[in-house]
């Protein structure tokens, strides 16, 4: 018996009049296997570093760095498992939170890096070489960049096919839809308005800093504003603006006839703001962490604001999808 044909989730689309096309299923499988293969160099390097082998610098042999590398080994294994879940029938039987939460966080960590890799990768290698990193580091970093780009491209592709099969209301159809009885529309609009306003303020701040603004920057640390800092600040500001637009469109049901563009913008932006700012906050607690050019208060305020705004947008997305599923005839 053909398992894929027997499972409604793999071939049926409640928002369409026909089955999910075989190219979609094929894309899921190809991209899923592609992600697993792409992660392998990253996983191998991180395992070696965890055990203190082929380290580019002596500093990375310290316990704090080994702990970080061990954590990234776990993340790489999770990425492989998710890729397999997205392209295998058993993946659609997993609890939704077990799939959605790591994908949301992973999207926030990887997508900005994929877009910035062509600039940040060479800049990082040049900086490390100037600092006296071991010659092998250039090769290791190249493999890491290849892995990250492969995951950043492949994982969203297999996720799109997976979500289309399991949660078609999250991707297809038009933005306006019938409001079911007992809907949370007013709460969605309130949360979206607050999140969008906060995102605009955060975006203005980050873009101001990225373009050379010095208000909120420690004058003694102006030299710390390297290309990484400028690009990451601009990236955060750009994603915050995209999220403000996306979450408002989802809540007010206007401004975009197709549901996918604002959904993609809000989903990615919320993950970026939450994951990137949480990662930065945790990294700042390391004993060997480099000082950030922002004043501590400014850094904490923008970082915590990003985390809170990401969660608010995520909550709004969940409410929108819950009502949308009910309106389109799915289970409450």
């Amino acid at each position: 018996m053909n398992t894929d044909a027997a499972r409604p989730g793999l071939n049926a689309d409640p928002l369409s009049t026909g089955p999910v096309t075989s190219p979609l299923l094929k894309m899921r499988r190809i991209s899923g296997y592609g992600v697993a293969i792409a992660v392998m160099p990253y996983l191998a390097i991180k395992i070696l570093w965890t055990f203190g082998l082929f380290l580019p610098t002596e500093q990375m042999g310290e316990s704090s760095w080994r702990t970080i590398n061990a954590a990234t080994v776990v993340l790489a294994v999770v990425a492989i498992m998710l890729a397999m879940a997205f392209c295998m029938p058993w993946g659609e039987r997993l609890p939704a939170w077990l799939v959605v939460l790591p994908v949301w966080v992973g999207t926030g960590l990887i997508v900005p890096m994929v877009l910035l890799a062509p600039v940040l990768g060479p800049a990082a290698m040049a900086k490390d070489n100037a600092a006296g990193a071991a010659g092998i580091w250039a090769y290791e970093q190249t493999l890491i960049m290849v892995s990250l780009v492969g995951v950043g491209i492949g994982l969203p592709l297999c996720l799109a096919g997976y979500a289309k099969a399991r949660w078609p209301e999250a991707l297809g159809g038009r933005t306006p839809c019938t409001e079911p009885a007992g809907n949370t529309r007013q709460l969605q609009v309130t949360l979206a308005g607050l999140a969008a306003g906060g995102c605009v303020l955060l975006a203005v701040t980050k873009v101001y800093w990225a373009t050379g603004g010095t208000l909120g920057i420690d004058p003694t640390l102006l030299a710390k504003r390297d290309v990484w800092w400028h690009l990451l600040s601009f990236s955060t500001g750009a994603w915050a603006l995209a999220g403000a637009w996306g979450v408002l469109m989802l809540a007010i049901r206007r401004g975009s006839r197709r549901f996918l563009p604002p959904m993609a913008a809000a989903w990615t932006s919320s993950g970026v703001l939450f994951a990137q700012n949480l990662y930065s906050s945790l990294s700042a607690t390391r004993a060997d962490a480099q000082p950030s050019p922002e004043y501590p208060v400014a850094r904490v305020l923008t970082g915590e604001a990003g985390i809170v705004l990401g969660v608010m947008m995520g909550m709004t997305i969940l409410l929108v999808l819950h009502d949308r599923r009910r309106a389109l005839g799915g289970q409450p």
Side-chain angles (χ1 to χ4, degrees):
M1 181 177 177
N2 189 324
T3 305
D4 290 354
R7 283 185 52 76
L10 283 172
N11 294 291
D13 182 354
L15 295 185
S16 68
T17 57
V20 173
T21 60
S22 57
L24 182 63
L25 183 57
K26 186 177 181 181
M27 180 193 74
R28 288 172 59 180
R29 288 175 172 164
I30 292 175
S31 55
Y33 292 135
V35 167
I37 293 171
V39 171
M40 290 304 177
Y42 180 91
L43 177 61
I45 290 171
K46 290 295 186 173
I47 290 174
L48 291 172
W49 286 354
T50 300
F51 288 99
L53 303 173
F54 300 105
L55 297 175
T57 64
E58 292 184 5
Q59 185 183 44
M60 291 184 66
E62 298 174 0
S63 59
S64 60
W65 274 106
R66 290 199 184 191
T67 302
I68 292 172
N69 287 322
T72 55
V73 167
V74 175
L75 292 177
V77 172
V78 169
I80 294 173
M81 294 301 296
L82 281 175
M84 293 298 96
F86 291 156
C87 63
M88 295 292 185
W90 56 263
E92 293 185 26
R93 297 191 293 271
L94 293 174
W97 66 267
L98 192 59
V99 175
V100 172
L101 185 59
V103 170
W104 181 61
V105 174
T107 298
L109 290 173
I110 294 174
V111 169
M113 293 298 102
V114 171
L115 298 177
L116 298 175
V119 177
L120 292 185
M125 283 189 250
K127 180 179 179 181
D128 292 336
N129 287 335
I136 195 174
W137 174 224
Y139 301 101
E140 291 174 331
Q141 195 162 35
T142 299
L143 288 174
I144 289 174
M145 288 292 175
V146 169
S147 290
L148 291 179
V149 171
V151 174
I153 295 173
L155 203 57
L157 287 176
C158 54
L159 171 62
Y162 177 88
K164 184 67 174 176
R166 186 171 180 180
W167 302 298
E169 68 278 0
L171 295 179
R174 301 175 60 180
T175 301
C177 68
T178 305
E179 301 296 338
N183 65 79
T184 58
R185 177 73 179 279
Q186 189 55 53
L187 178 58
Q188 294 170 28
V189 172
T190 301
L191 278 175
L194 292 173
C199 283
V200 170
L201 290 176
L202 180 62
V204 169
T205 302
K206 288 291 187 175
V207 172
Y208 167 75
W209 284 343
T211 53
T214 57
L215 184 63
I217 304 296
D218 188 340
T220 63
L221 297 175
L222 289 177
K224 296 293 183 180
R225 300 182 303 169
D226 56 13
V227 64
W228 274 79
W229 184 85
H230 282 284
L231 285 178
L232 289 176
S233 296
F234 184 82
S235 174
T236 301
W239 282 114
L241 282 178
W245 172 80
V247 77
L248 278 179
M249 296 306 100
L250 293 180
I252 65 177
R253 317 283 201 266
R254 294 194 301 271
S256 175
R257 296 184 63 185
R258 296 179 59 213
F259 184 73
L260 180 56
M263 174 62 185
W267 168 272
T268 307
S269 173
S270 61
V272 168
L273 294 185
F274 175 82
Q276 293 283 345
N277 284 288
L278 180 60
Y279 177 80
S280 296
S281 298
L282 293 176
S283 297
T285 62
R286 293 201 329 261
D288 60 343
Q290 295 297 314
S292 179
E294 306 96 326
Y295 283 117
V297 173
R299 184 186 71 249
V300 170
L301 286 177
T302 54
E304 295 300 318
I307 294 172
V308 172
L309 291 170
V311 172
M312 288 178 66
M313 283 195 286
M315 292 173 59
T316 305
I317 291 171
L318 290 177
L319 291 173
V320 169
L321 291 179
H322 179 265
D323 283 359
R324 187 175 175 82
R325 185 174 182 84
R326 293 174 59 209
L328 294 171
Q331 295 296 322

